[in-house]
Amino acid sequence: MPTNELLAALVVVASAVILISFWRQILFMLLFAAVMVFCLGVYNVAVAMHG
């Protein structure tokens, strides 16, 4: 029984680490997308004001 509990704890810790790294990657991608949209918006405003 203790080996099963140890295995379950290891699985929980491993899945938590995977989820944390996955969410960091997702947040980084969302931040990058927000910056790209902001830059594109600024570029469009500059083009509209210049033209």
Side-chain angles (χ1 to χ4, degrees):
M1 202 64 171
T3 54
N4 285 343
E5 291 178 1
L6 181 63
L7 184 62
L10 284 176
V11 168
V12 167
V13 168
S15 59
V17 168
I18 289 172
L19 279 176
I20 287 171
S21 61
F22 180 70
W23 279 110
R24 277 186 182 173
Q25 189 175 6
I26 289 294
L27 286 176
F28 178 74
M29 288 171 59
L30 285 176
L31 181 64
F32 183 72
V35 169
M36 288 294 292
V37 168
F38 177 74
C39 289
L40 189 63
V42 169
Y43 174 75
N44 284 336
V45 168
V47 168
M49 291 183 70
H50 188 268

